[in-house]
Amino acid sequence: MLIVTLLIAASSPQLDRCLNSGEAARGVTPAMAACFGADYRRADARLNATYRATLRRLPPARQAALRQAQRGWIARRDAACPLQTGDGVGTIERLNHPACLTRETDRRTAWLARFR
């Protein structure tokens, strides 16, 4: 429960609402996992919109550099947020993995917004 509490402390308003309603509010893992998955999809959509807007305002040479940097970031994000599987992995991983992806994606979105 402590891990879930820590994850919730850094959450979005939409995630908070989702986790405080229905089965998620009762601690049903699949419902909570759906909340975290939806939060990641929202973060990914913000990242994609910011990436496109950033590309549009850059000269062609900087666009190429950003594309290359973004490909590298995807690999680093995936390495930072591996999906744990196998014996001994608990259901909390269904919350930890999308929470990690969201955190890394939000950081990247902020970086992209400042990219020149």
Side-chain angles (χ1 to χ4, degrees):
M1 189 54 123
L2 176 61
I3 295 172
V4 173
T5 303
L6 293 174
L7 291 174
I8 294 170
S11 66
S12 69
Q14 298 93 336
L15 179 59
D16 287 343
R17 278 193 298 280
C18 186
L19 290 172
N20 288 309
S21 65
E23 290 185 327
R26 295 190 297 277
V28 176
T29 303
M32 294 170 67
C35 294
F36 280 94
D39 197 48
Y40 169 63
R41 287 187 298 279
R42 281 189 295 274
D44 191 54
R46 285 189 304 270
L47 173 100
N48 290 326
T50 303
Y51 176 75
R52 285 188 302 272
T54 301
L55 274 178
R56 281 192 300 271
R57 66 178 163 72
L58 295 174
R62 295 295 292 154
Q63 289 176 2
L66 179 58
R67 282 188 191 96
Q68 183 177 8
Q70 194 67 4
R71 288 183 190 113
W73 171 78
I74 291 168
R76 290 188 303 279
R77 180 210 54 203
D78 292 348
C81 300
L83 179 59
Q84 304 295 319
T85 60
D87 294 339
V89 175
T91 57
I92 194 68
E93 185 61 15
R94 294 181 65 191
L95 311 180
N96 286 342
H97 184 252
C100 180
L101 292 172
T102 300
R103 181 182 63 249
E104 295 300 316
T105 300
D106 286 345
R107 288 178 182 162
R108 185 62 174 192
T109 301
W111 183 87
L112 283 168
R114 296 185 309 270
F115 186 82
R116 302 285 176 237

